[in-house]
Amino acid sequence: MRIDKFLWSIRFYKTRSIATEEIKKNRVSMGTSAVKSSKEVKEGDIIKIRKNQIDYKIKVLQIPKSRMGAKLVPLHIQDVTDKEQYELLKLRKMTQDYYRNKGEGRPTKKDRRDMDDYVGNDIDADFTDWDDFFGETGNETEDEG
């Protein structure tokens, strides 16, 4: 089976075309050399894949006939990735900044909602009668006439 079809069928990539693109970018290798999409995969091969900034290593146990369910994947491959790689991934996820730095650009919708929640809606309740707010009364119309 071709390596691009194999990576798609074991659910390592969502589509076969994404698998092909990653292979063209030299992110998939067997042994010490990068492979082409047409490379045939055999049982016992160890495939190195660079994805999400870590290096995965998988060992081929069986060749599947077609794309399979996620529960059946362990029957066909064995994960031999170093534990340090998973620790790096966990560390990167923890240190990742999800929001922009303070003072950069306009507030996001979430920032705006947080500010509204912080300020509260007390202002709307206090100033319902605008005539009272500006100190206007009905007497001014009598003075003019």
Side-chain angles (χ1 to χ4, degrees):
M1 176 181 278
R2 293 170 51 111
I3 192 164
D4 59 345
K5 188 174 182 180
F6 177 76
L7 292 174
W8 168 76
S9 65
I10 62 166
R11 298 184 165 270
F12 212 85
Y13 292 108
K14 190 173 183 179
T15 64
R16 190 169 168 187
S17 60
I18 293 173
T20 304
E21 288 174 20
E22 294 296 305
I23 291 169
K24 285 181 184 175
K25 293 176 184 175
N26 293 331
R27 294 185 181 153
V28 179
S29 61
M30 291 175 73
T32 57
S33 61
V35 297
K36 292 184 177 180
S37 299
S38 61
K39 174 75 173 168
E40 290 291 320
V41 178
K42 299 177 189 109
E43 293 178 5
D45 287 343
I46 294 180
I47 303 171
K48 296 176 188 172
I49 305 160
R50 179 96 172 141
K51 184 178 177 184
N52 296 332
Q53 299 179 347
I54 69 168
D55 296 320
Y56 294 96
K57 287 183 187 177
I58 57 172
K59 183 177 182 181
V60 180
L61 300 177
Q62 292 179 2
I63 305 294
K65 293 184 174 142
S66 63
R67 189 167 168 99
M68 68 190 83
K71 291 182 180 179
L72 299 176
V73 170
L75 299 174
H76 297 277
I77 63 167
Q78 178 184 4
D79 187 13
V80 290
T81 306
D82 298 332
K83 292 186 180 184
E84 297 102 25
Q85 296 293 323
Y86 287 116
E87 290 172 9
L88 281 173
L89 182 64
K90 188 187 295 185
L91 184 65
R92 283 193 187 107
K93 283 185 179 181
M94 288 173 51
T95 60
Q96 193 174 28
D97 250 350
Y98 291 104
Y99 297 105
R100 61 182 170 70
N101 292 331
K102 186 170 182 137
E104 289 185 10
R106 294 174 53 187
T108 62
K109 191 181 272 189
K110 182 183 184 327
D111 292 339
R112 186 76 205 157
R113 288 180 181 147
D114 289 342
M115 285 188 283
D116 288 343
D117 289 342
Y118 179 73
V119 172
N121 294 332
D122 297 338
I123 297 171
D124 295 336
D126 292 341
F127 303 122
T128 54
D129 189 7
W130 288 103
D131 292 335
D132 290 341
F133 175 72
F134 290 111
E136 297 176 6
T137 59
N139 298 338
E140 294 168 358
T141 56
E142 296 173 7
D143 294 337
E144 294 174 8

